[in-house]
Amino acid sequence: MSKGVGFATTVLNNNKSTREWIQNRIKPEEIEKYLDNGQDFIDEPAIEQALAANRGCDARRVRDILAKSLAIETLTPDETACLIHVTDPELLAEMRQTASAVKTKVYDNRFVTFAPLYLGNLCVNNCAYCGFRSSNHAETRRILSQEEVRREAEVLAGQIGHKRLIVVYGEHPKSGVEYMAETLRTIYDVKVKTRCGWGQIHRCNINGAPLQVDEYRIVKEAGLGTYQVFQETYHKGTYARLHPSNTIKGDYRWRLYCMHRAMEAGIDDVGIGPLVGLYDWKFEVMAILHHAIDLEKKFGIGPHTISFPRLEPAHNTPFLNDLPYRVSDEDFKRLVTVIRLAVPYTGMILTARETAEMRREVLPLGCTQFDASSRIGIGGYDDRPDDRQQDDRQQFILGDTRSLDEVIRELAEAGYITSFCTAGYRCGRTGDKIMCLLRSGKEGQFCKLNAVLTFREWLDDFATPETLAAGEKVIAKEIEEVRRRQPGVFESFMSYYEKTRAGERDLYF
């Protein structure tokens, strides 16, 4: 395989064109318009006050808050702080049961799957915790050519069976907005013959650097799904300590308001989240809520997804050896539960950073999306088909490298259906339209129909015999639910289902 475009770490930021690119990235006027009286929406004293004032809530208040969440209403900071402090085992169990019920009410009995696709590890930033930081001399630097991107997508769509990707870019002029747009078009152009039909990627989300408003419009035109940016930590002192001020990422507010700029540009599906473990998880959960509330206030809709990746080891990154805010497994489960309850309409992404065992425990607490068969080394799908990890070519170490087939079989045996549906996005059920459907519980009706059709596709095209057998049982149960709960569409649904079984692809409601 080609080595792509190589860069010595010592010159990542030193050539003139790169320095000029860095200097022109941040546009203060694209931040200032969203400030309230010159202040951003992360009011640290208010967050700390809410956390301090809501300790020891009684059971009645907790249950009232849970009822509000089950009505798919965004919680207030005080209500969220109350749930954060719950320690009573009985109330914690009720919180987890309610979180699961909220997820089922909004998203039905399904999980959505995706794969991360890292296209390069060139980066002008120097974040202390990141394997891609510019000062990491042990990292092998490269960026994929369009042909290499195509081969990665062919493996993902034609051998594994993914329909949706999160495409990951470093912050560097070589992977700027023109490269982003071109790679999206390359990925969407891939079509691979499978066992019974065709494999294609139907939705590319992006995990990338904050863009300028005009640049967001370019990636939207190229077919962007959701634009995802993690704030890393919302705590300003910690953020400043970990992100050098002479880097683009050192500007806290440029990153904080990147989703406001995306929505201004017409991107109505955005994804937010912290990197859990850089600061106190209780503060970060409160800040996520403040972020969601400010988006709702200014644009009428909150985040399409919230992610909560935990810090994991990274090659030649000693910062990760001693973390004062490392999050225990029990606190991680509490964090996930509270996020689901606080922002009940949002999608929640559980990544393969977590071990298989932890994902089994956390997924039922309100998560809606997960990745599988993940390879995060640059070029890892085409040139590393097994589950070996590539320390010097990836940002961090994964905890769960199981195949998509294995994960789907485990979920099917537990009674869950895996959905590969992207129909809602192509039918315009995005932004405020999907938020109304989610809050009313109506989106799940579309999702059940399309989940069955796309699961049928995947089983016929990719499943091993063991997974096929487990999946057939789930499909039979789901079809019966459609017959019982949606009799008005059952006949047309079964017509689509039989066409899918006969080899037609990409039929949806």
Side-chain angles (χ1 to χ4, degrees), residues 4-73:
V5 182
F7 280 76
T9 305
T10 54
V11 299
L12 275 177
N13 303 348
N14 290 339
N15 68 73
K16 182 180 178 181
S17 62
T18 300
R19 291 198 305 270
E20 290 176 349
W21 184 83
I22 292 170
Q23 292 168 358
N24 293 319
R25 291 304 301 150
I26 296 172
K27 293 188 174 183
E29 67 273 16
E30 293 189 358
I31 305 171
E32 292 162 359
K33 68 175 73 175
Y34 293 113
L35 301 177
D36 295 315
N37 298 317
Q39 301 299 312
D40 60 59
F41 58 82
I42 298 298
D43 185 340
E44 292 187 2
I47 290 175
E48 297 294 352
Q49 181 180 5
L51 285 169
N54 289 279
R55 297 178 183 273
C57 298
D58 62 43
R60 175 176 292 182
R61 185 178 180 216
V62 171
R63 290 178 176 126
D64 287 344
I65 296 169
L66 296 183
K68 179 179 179 180
S69 181
L70 194 54
I72 321 302
E73 297 180 31

Side-chain angles (χ1 to χ4, degrees), residues 83-84 86 91-100 276 281-282 285 308-310 326-342 348 350 354-367:
L83 297 184
I84 283 173
V86 170
L91 286 177
L92 280 173
E94 289 185 36
M95 285 171 57
R96 290 172 179 171
Q97 290 165 3
T98 304
S100 180
V276 179
W281 70 267
K282 300 179 182 68
V285 169
F308 33 89
R310 269 199 294 187
R326 190 181 298 277
V327 178
S328 69
D329 289 350
E330 283 304 308
D331 281 344
F332 186 65
K333 286 184 276 190
R334 290 174 61 198
L335 171 154
V336 173
T337 302
V338 174
I339 292 173
R340 166 49 66 213
L341 296 169
M348 290 181 60
L350 178 64
E354 301 299 328
T355 64
E357 180 179 1
M358 180 54 55
R359 295 223 284 181
R360 291 184 190 104
E361 295 184 42
V362 173
L363 205 60
L365 300 179
C367 301

Side-chain angles (χ1 to χ4, degrees), residues 122-342:
L122 309 183
C123 192
V124 300
N125 295 309
N126 199 26
C127 310
Y129 48 84
C130 182
F132 289 173
R133 69 190 183 282
S134 60
S135 64
N136 188 356
H137 294 266
E139 189 77 4
T140 300
R141 305 285 174 173
R142 60 191 301 234
I143 184 170
L144 299 186
S145 68
Q146 295 302 316
E147 180 54 33
E148 290 171 328
V149 172
R150 178 179 297 278
R151 291 203 295 268
E152 293 285 281
E154 286 173 347
V155 173
L156 286 160
Q159 297 179 26
I160 300 172
H162 281 291
K163 301 293 185 185
R164 109 176 38 201
L165 305 179
I166 180 77
V167 190
V168 187
Y169 303 85
E171 188 158 23
H172 192 277
K174 293 290 184 180
S175 55
V177 68
E178 294 83 5
Y179 178 77
M180 287 181 173
E182 187 177 2
T183 52
L184 290 183
R185 289 189 287 266
T186 296
I187 293 167
Y188 284 131
D189 189 54
V190 166
K191 186 174 183 179
V192 184
K193 189 71 177 73
T194 62
R195 196 160 58 203
C196 298
W198 294 93
Q200 290 180 279
I201 302 300
H202 291 309
R203 181 171 172 91
C204 287
N205 302 328
I206 284 178
N207 181 307
L211 300 180
Q212 299 164 0
V213 173
D214 287 345
E215 293 174 328
Y216 280 119
R217 294 191 177 106
I218 292 172
V219 292
K220 182 178 188 296
E221 179 66 24
L224 167 74
T226 300
Y227 203 91
Q228 180 189 81
V229 176
F230 299 155
Q231 187 63 25
E232 317 296 16
T233 174
Y234 287 93
H235 185 258
K236 294 168 184 174
T238 302
Y239 188 96
R241 188 170 67 254
L242 300 178
H243 306 99
S245 60
N246 63 342
T247 62
I248 300 171
K249 201 164 177 178
D251 192 308
Y252 177 90
R253 285 182 174 174
W254 179 245
R255 196 168 188 87
L256 187 68
Y257 282 94
C258 63
M259 293 313 176
H260 292 63
R261 298 194 299 278
M263 287 190 169
E264 178 183 336
I267 297 171
D268 50 12
D269 284 351
V270 299
I272 65 174
L275 185 52
V276 179
L278 293 177
Y279 190 63
D280 183 358
W281 70 267
K282 300 179 182 68
F283 179 94
E284 304 289 16
V285 169
M286 294 289 287
I288 289 170
L289 176 65
H290 279 267
H291 201 163
I293 289 172
D294 202 70
L295 290 173
E296 289 180 16
K297 173 184 174 184
K298 291 187 168 69
F299 296 95
I301 53 174
H304 185 67
T305 59
I306 294 175
S307 300
F308 33 89
R310 269 199 294 187
L311 280 165
E312 296 296 337
H315 185 53
N316 192 38
T317 307
F319 171 85
L320 299 171
N321 296 335
D322 185 21
L323 296 174
Y325 295 104
R326 190 181 298 277
V327 178
S328 69
D329 289 350
E330 283 304 308
D331 281 344
F332 186 65
K333 286 184 276 190
R334 290 174 61 198
L335 171 154
V336 173
T337 302
V338 174
I339 292 173
R340 166 49 66 213
L341 296 169

